[in-house]
């Protein structure tokens, strides 16, 4: 990839909002259904995880099995929501009118790629945090005044990685790349114009945080708008109609 143009954040936001306005009820309806399923799975997991140890102080095999099943369901519904929203945003940006059935359709391969991509990014972030903590601990033994420096470096590295990997999900889901290729592709696309990627990351974060302020109603709007904006940014760098990762998408 040679000399990609910088992200036009305002254009991505405008195109994302326009795509959302084409089919708000479909996107919001799917967000509500998938989000409610994810929340119920989370509540179930918390309930069963509290029963893992019985009143006699012994492990409860049934509670452990139920907690494991609830955790799997929690992860699966989260992946289902991400994949469905990105499919819907792609169809909306292509001037289509996605149907509810387009969003709720399960795509196992896309969900596996989504899981792998998110897991890879989280593992790298965890390694950064652990390395910063270990370095800070060593410096505490040698020179306590320098102990905060590794932590500050870890925060800076985490911020850099978060903006650097802003396009990894659309590369994996829309572009059909495996997690490692999506990780590398996002880095290659954003590194030349990292500040624009950071700006986009902050805009998307602000959208989601604004949704949290008004709880369910806000998130039902904020999540699909943020996904449409992210997909629009992806199309700026990689072109429209690059839906090679989808199976049987309708326009």
């Amino acid at each position: 990839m040679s000399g990609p143009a910088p992200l036009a954040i305002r254009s991505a936001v405008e195109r994302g909002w326009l795509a959302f306005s084409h089919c708000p009820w479909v996107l919001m309806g799917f967000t509500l259904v998938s989000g409610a399923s994810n929340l119920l799975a989370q509540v179930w997991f918390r309930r069963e995880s509290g029963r893992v140890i019985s009143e006699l102080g012994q492990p409860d095999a049934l509670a452990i099995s139920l907690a494991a099943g609830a955790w799997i369901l929690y992860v699966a519904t989260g992946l289902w929501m991400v994949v469905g929203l990105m499919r819907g945003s792609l169809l909306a940006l292509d001037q289509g009118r996605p149907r509810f059935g387009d969003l709720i359709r399960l795509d196992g391969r896309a969900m596996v790629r989504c899981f792998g991509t998110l897991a890879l990014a989280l593992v790298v972030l965890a390694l950064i945090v652990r390395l910063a903590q270990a370095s800070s601990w060593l410096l505490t033994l040698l020179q306590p005044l320098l102990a905060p420096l590794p932590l500050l470096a870890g925060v800076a590295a985490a911020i850099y990685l978060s903006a650097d990997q802003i396009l990894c999900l659309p590369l994996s889901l829309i572009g059909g790349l495996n997690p490692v290729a999506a990780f590398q592709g996002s880095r290659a696309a954003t590194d030349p114009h990292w500040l624009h990627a950071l700006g986009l990351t902050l805009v998307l974060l602000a959208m989601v945080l604004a949704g949290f302020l008004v709880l369910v109603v806000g998130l039902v709007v904020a999540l699909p708008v943020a996904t449409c904006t992210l997909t629009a940014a992806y199309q700026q760098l990689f072109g429209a109609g690059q839906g090679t990762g989808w199976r049987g998408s309708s326009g």
Side-chain angles (χ1 to χ4, degrees):
M1 188 180 306
S2 59
L7 285 168
I9 299 174
R10 180 175 178 179
S11 175
V13 173
E14 291 175 347
R15 288 196 65 224
W17 175 257
L18 184 61
F20 171 77
S21 66
H22 286 160
C23 48
W25 300 115
V26 172
L27 293 174
M28 288 192 299
F30 173 74
T31 303
L32 184 61
V33 171
S34 58
S37 301
N38 186 257
L39 180 60
L40 289 174
Q42 183 181 9
V43 171
W44 182 27
F45 171 72
R46 289 183 176 180
R47 178 183 178 185
E48 297 302 331
S49 61
R51 300 179 177 179
V52 168
I53 304 300
S54 67
E55 295 180 357
L56 300 178
Q58 299 296 323
D60 188 327
L62 178 60
I64 292 174
S65 299
L66 291 175
W71 184 84
I72 292 173
L73 184 61
Y74 171 68
V75 173
T77 52
L79 296 173
W80 175 49
M81 178 168 61
V82 173
V83 171
L85 281 176
M86 193 151 288
R87 182 190 293 117
S89 67
L90 180 66
L91 292 173
L93 282 163
D94 289 341
Q95 305 300 319
R97 298 283 182 175
R99 300 184 298 270
F100 191 74
D102 295 325
L103 277 65
I104 65 172
R105 188 179 70 252
L106 293 176
D107 187 337
R109 291 182 180 179
M111 291 172 67
V112 168
R113 291 198 308 274
C114 182
F115 177 79
T117 302
L118 290 174
L120 177 59
L122 290 176
V123 166
V124 175
L125 280 173
L127 289 175
I128 291 173
V129 171
R130 291 300 183 185
L131 181 59
Q133 290 175 338
S135 300
S136 179
W137 179 77
L138 288 175
L139 278 178
T140 300
L141 299 178
L142 300 175
Q143 180 52 264
L145 293 177
L146 299 179
L149 293 181
L151 297 178
L152 293 176
V155 171
I159 293 174
Y160 169 79
L161 180 68
S162 299
D164 199 53
Q165 293 303 311
I166 190 64
L167 296 177
C168 66
L169 274 180
L171 277 168
S172 177
L173 295 177
I174 301 174
L177 300 182
N178 63 59
V180 174
F183 191 94
Q184 295 172 338
S186 182
R187 181 174 183 273
T190 57
D191 263 2
H193 308 284
W194 183 82
L195 287 178
H196 292 82
L198 177 62
L200 177 64
T201 304
L202 294 176
V203 167
L204 296 177
L205 181 61
M207 288 181 183
V208 176
L209 289 178
F212 270 111
L213 293 178
V214 283
L215 300 177
V216 176
V217 176
L219 284 176
V220 165
V221 175
L223 289 178
V225 171
T227 306
C228 289
T229 300
L230 178 60
T231 306
Y234 165 83
Q235 288 186 336
Q236 286 182 13
L237 297 185
F238 297 95
Q242 302 298 313
T244 57
W246 301 121
R247 294 184 299 156
S249 293
S250 61

